[in-house]
Amino acid sequence: MDRGAALRAVRAVIRGVRFYPEGMYARRRRAYFLLMGGCLFLFVSAWSFVRLFSVEAAVALCVVAMVIPPVAAMIANRRGPDDRWWDDPSGDPKSDEWWDELDGKRRHED
């Protein structure tokens, strides 16, 4: 690795940028924002116009909206079948080979 690439990698780590596959990050972000948008819609609609018809229905919508944020966090952070976000490649070939074998991605041949 040349010096420029090493410096860019160090700067990215300092800034907190993680090198995830783009599809995984997009899937997680989309799921989270859809669920949180639904939560916001339920809460705002409950007290904007649903309360004019039924206060009980507005309270029920708020209870449903209250449950959505923890569910959104769990759904958005779940691991997909090809996601390896808990173990970013370390750069050590022996360690990466061991993790691949442990994950069942590549079998160790003895």
Side-chain angles (χ1 to χ4, degrees):
M1 180 184 316
D2 66 340
R3 183 169 186 229
L7 286 174
R8 283 190 299 276
V10 168
R11 286 184 191 130
V13 169
I14 290 171
R15 283 183 297 198
V17 175
R18 311 249 5 210
F19 295 105
Y20 294 123
E22 193 60 36
M24 176 186 70
Y25 185 66
R27 174 192 57 81
R28 291 169 55 197
R29 185 176 52 201
R30 190 176 319 117
Y32 181 78
F33 284 124
L34 279 173
L35 285 166
M36 291 306 289
C39 174
L40 187 62
F41 174 77
L42 285 174
F43 186 75
V44 170
S45 66
W47 297 113
S48 294
F49 59 87
V50 173
R51 70 174 170 86
L52 300 173
F53 303 108
S54 171
V55 173
E56 292 84 9
V59 170
L61 285 177
C62 284
V63 169
V64 171
M66 178 183 70
V67 173
I68 291 176
V71 172
M74 287 185 279
I75 288 176
N77 288 319
R78 73 174 181 233
R79 177 182 169 268
D82 294 329
D83 297 346
R84 196 174 164 180
W85 52 270
W86 74 93
D87 179 41
D88 291 334
S90 64
D92 178 20
K94 192 132 182 109
S95 174
D96 291 339
E97 178 183 340
W98 184 79
W99 279 109
D100 286 341
E101 179 184 345
L102 196 65
D103 292 341
K105 292 185 179 181
R106 193 171 44 195
R107 296 283 176 215
H108 185 66
E109 290 128 16
D110 288 326

